Amino acid sequence: MHARRVDSLALDNYQRAARVILANHLVTRTFPDRIALPLIRRWATELREDLAELFGYRLEVTETTARLFPVVDRLDAGKPARAVTERVFDRRRYAYLALALAALGRAGDQITLSELADQVAAYTGRVDGLELSPDRAADRDAFVDAIGWLAHRGALTLADGDAGGWAADPEAGEALYDIDRPVVFALFRPPRALQHLHSVSGLLTEDAMAHGPAATAAAADAARRVRRGLVERPVVYAEDLAYDERPLLMQDRVVADVELFTGLRAERRAEGVALIDVSGRLSDVRFPGTGTLAQVALLLVGEIADRVLDIDNPVPVRPGAPDPAVALAEQLDGAIPESTVFVPLADLPSTDPEVVEPDSDPDAQALAAERANYPFVEASWVGETVQALTDRYGVTFAAQWQADVPGLTRQVSALLERLRLVQVVEDGLIILPALARYRGAVVTVRTKRAAELFVTASDTIGADSVGTEGI
C-alpha cells in the first residue's frame, strides 16, 4: 500500500487526492475545481495501485481527465444525479443525458443546443414512452438540465448564447457549445455490454481480482467489499454484511487501511463502523448542516433520542426493514423498454456471468431472518413532533416548509434514511443505532440572523459531517 510509504509531510496532500477521486469519479480540468486534476495527476501512480488493491477500483488518468471505475456491490437510490439547480434527475432527464452523450460521441468540435436537441429527439423516437418535443416547456427544461450536467463537468463549454434563452423560447434563443471529446468519452464507459444484461443486478457482478489459492482470493475480495462499504455508505452495519465479511469489519487492519488512505477517522460501535469526514471533500451531504431540512432533521433526531431513551414509556421494537436495494432492482428491471430496444439486443449471446438473485441466495435468506430488533416510532408521532417544532421555530424556516409541514416531515425522514440513521416504513420510522451519535445536541436560536435557526456543527457537537459516502 503506497499510502504507508508516502512521506509524512506529503501524506495530507495524498489523502486529499484520494478523497477527491472517491467523491468525484470523473475529474476534469474544471470539475470539481481547477486544482483537482493537477492533484490527481501528481499522485496518479500511487492512487491507481492503492485503489486497485484496497477497493478493486480502476483509475485512468490522462492529461485532461481522471476517471474512476468503481465496483458497485449494491444499488442505492440515495445518490441521484442532480442538475446545477439541485433538481433531482427523473427518468426523462436520465434518458436525455444518455442520448445526448450518444449524439456528442458522433459530433464534431462544436454543436448548437438546437442541433443537439434535434438529434436527441430523433433518438427518442426509437423508445416507447419517450419523446423530446421542443414545443413543450417541460421537455426543454429537462433537456437543459441534462446539458447543464454535462457542461458542469466540462464535457461541454458554452461558446456563445444562453441555454436558458433557448429553454424559454427555442425560436428566439440559442446556445453554441465547444465539445471536449476526451471528457465525453471518459463519461460514457459502461463496464459491461448492456444489451447482454437481463437485469440491472448484472451490473453489480464483480470479477475476482485476487490471485492465488481460492481461500486467499475469497478473503481478499471480502476485504475489498468491506472497504468499499466504508467509503460508499454513511454507516456500515455488521448485520448488513455477509457472514464472511462481518469479522473483517471488526479487524483493525481493514479499517485502518481505509483511514490511512482517506485521512478520515473511523468511529466504531458494536453494531458497525462509520467514517467521520471533517474535511467535507468526501461526503456529499453534510450533517449537521445548514438549511431548514438539515436543521429540522437534527432537532427531530434529538426528539427521537429522548423518546427512545425514556425508560418510563418504552417504545416498541421491530426487525429492520428488508434491503431496499432488492425492491429498487425490481423497479429498474420493470422499466426496461423490452418491447423496442432491449429484447432485440438481448437475443445476442451473453458473455456475462450468471447473477444470483438475492431472494434465491440461502445465505441472504438466513441473514434476513436474523435481523436485529430496533426501536420504532409511529408516523403519527413523527408528524406531530415536526409540527411542534414548526410551531416553535417555524418563523425561521424556509417559506416553502412553513406552509407544508407534511412535506417537511417526508423530506426530513428521507434525509435521515439516506444517512442511515433511520429506516422509513409505511407506519413510522425504525431507529438505527447510528442515530444515538447525535443525541443531546444543543440548540440555540440566533435572534440577529433569523435565517440560521441553529448553531453550526462546530458550535454543537463538533465539526463532523454525515454524508452518503461517509459520515
Side-chain angles (χ1 to χ4, degrees):
M1 181 176 172
H2 284 280
R4 300 187 185 281
R5 301 192 295 271
V6 174
D7 184 86
S8 58
L9 296 177
L11 182 59
D12 180 69
N13 188 266
Y14 179 69
Q15 291 169 336
R16 192 157 58 245
R19 293 193 296 269
V20 168
I21 195 61
L22 285 171
N24 306 280
H25 294 171
L26 174 70
V27 174
T28 67
R29 286 173 290 192
T30 59
F31 181 82
D33 51 50
R34 293 188 178 276
I35 65 173
L37 185 60
L39 180 64
I40 300 299
R41 285 174 52 81
R42 160 69 177 83
W43 298 101
T45 300
E46 294 85 354
L47 287 172
R48 186 180 297 112
E49 296 182 10
D50 278 353
L51 286 164
E53 176 186 344
L54 295 177
F55 308 104
Y57 294 168
R58 179 165 57 91
L59 175 65
E60 292 184 0
V61 180
T62 69
E63 291 185 2
T64 59
T65 63
R67 181 72 162 92
L68 182 68
F69 296 87
V71 175
V72 181
D73 295 307
R74 65 196 307 275
L75 298 174
D76 185 356
K79 303 177 184 178
R82 295 176 183 270
V84 292
T85 59
E86 289 300 311
R87 184 185 293 110
V88 174
F89 270 40
D90 53 14
R91 291 176 61 185
R92 177 167 49 180
R93 285 170 171 80
Y94 279 120
Y96 290 166
L97 176 60
L99 295 176
L101 278 169
L104 291 173
R106 297 174 173 86
D109 295 328
Q110 286 188 322
I111 193 168
T112 64
L113 189 58
S114 58
E115 289 174 339
L116 184 55
D118 289 342
Q119 293 185 34
V120 171
Y123 292 156
T124 62
R126 301 170 57 185
V127 182
D128 284 350
L130 181 64
E131 183 181 6
L132 170 57
S133 173
D135 295 332
R136 285 199 296 265
D139 285 7
R140 297 196 302 271
D141 289 341
F143 181 67
V144 168
D145 280 346
I147 300 307
W149 189 94
L150 292 170
H152 184 52
R153 284 154 181 79
L156 296 170
T157 301
L158 185 64
D160 193 16
D162 176 26
W166 180 87
D169 184 356
E171 297 296 329
E174 184 59 283
L176 175 66
Y177 288 97
D178 294 326
I179 302 173
D180 192 323
R181 302 187 68 78
V183 176
V184 171
F185 293 141
L187 267 172
F188 188 68
R189 296 279 298 280
R192 297 187 183 279
L194 301 184
Q195 63 265 33
H196 292 165
L197 299 180
H198 294 267
S199 168
V200 69
S201 299
L203 294 172
L204 308 181
T205 304
E206 176 191 9
D207 295 327
M209 292 189 55
H211 303 285
T216 303
D221 287 340
R224 280 196 291 271
R225 289 194 296 272
V226 172
R227 295 190 199 101
R228 290 197 291 263
L230 288 171
V231 298
E232 291 169 358
R233 306 181 208 170
V235 186
V236 178
Y237 292 111
E239 74 163 14
D240 293 339
L241 302 177
Y243 283 118
D244 61 336
E245 298 168 1
R246 293 183 179 183
L248 296 173
L249 185 63
M250 298 298 112
Q251 286 186 6
D252 290 339
R253 178 61 181 266
V254 171
V255 177
D257 284 345
V258 179
E259 287 182 304
L260 180 61
F261 182 68
T262 61
L264 305 185
R265 174 173 57 86
E267 199 169 275
R268 292 181 161 189
R269 296 291 185 269
E271 298 86 358
V273 179
L275 289 184
I276 308 302
D277 178 18
V278 298
S279 71
R281 294 302 298 266
L282 182 58
S283 301
D284 57 349
V285 175
R286 294 187 66 87
F287 187 80
T290 59
T292 298
L293 291 180
Q295 301 290 13
V296 174
L298 182 59
L299 271 183
L300 180 60
V301 163
E303 297 292 335
I304 291 173
D306 290 343
R307 173 85 186 276
V308 170
L309 294 174
D310 185 355
I311 59 176
D312 295 327
N313 298 285
V315 299
V317 296
R318 63 169 60 179
D323 188 350
V326 176
L328 179 59
E330 293 175 352
Q331 289 179 325
L332 292 173
D333 289 346
I336 295 174
E338 296 185 357
S339 63
T340 55
V341 176
F342 187 74
V343 167
L345 294 174
D347 289 338
L348 297 174
S350 175
T351 58
D352 288 312
E354 181 181 359
V355 178
V356 178
E357 296 296 330
D359 290 342
S360 64
D361 185 347
D363 287 341
Q365 294 176 347
L367 289 172
E370 64 177 37
R371 296 190 72 85
N373 290 324
Y374 297 112
F376 169 78
V377 294
E378 304 84 357
S380 59
W381 180 87
V382 175
E384 292 168 359
T385 302
V386 175
Q387 180 65 63
L389 295 173
T390 303
D391 293 341
R392 183 175 181 183
Y393 303 110
V395 293
T396 61
F397 290 0
Q400 69 180 102
W401 300 125
Q402 295 180 33
D404 185 12
V405 175
L408 176 62
T409 304
R410 289 192 298 272
Q411 291 298 319
V412 166
S413 299
L415 173 60
L416 294 178
E417 183 175 47
R418 182 180 178 187
L419 301 173
R420 303 214 70 203
L421 303 181
V422 305
Q423 285 182 319
V424 178
V425 292
E426 184 176 356
D427 55 342
L429 301 179
I430 296 173
I431 312 306
L432 299 181
L435 180 139
R437 183 177 189 271
Y438 301 96
R439 66 183 182 272
V442 177
V443 177
T444 302
V445 177
R446 294 181 178 177
T447 56
K448 291 184 178 181
R449 298 178 64 183
E452 294 184 20
L453 177 56
F454 311 102
V455 292
T456 62
S458 60
D459 292 329
T460 55
I461 52 178
D464 299 339
S465 65
V466 175
T468 57
E469 296 178 353
I471 288 188

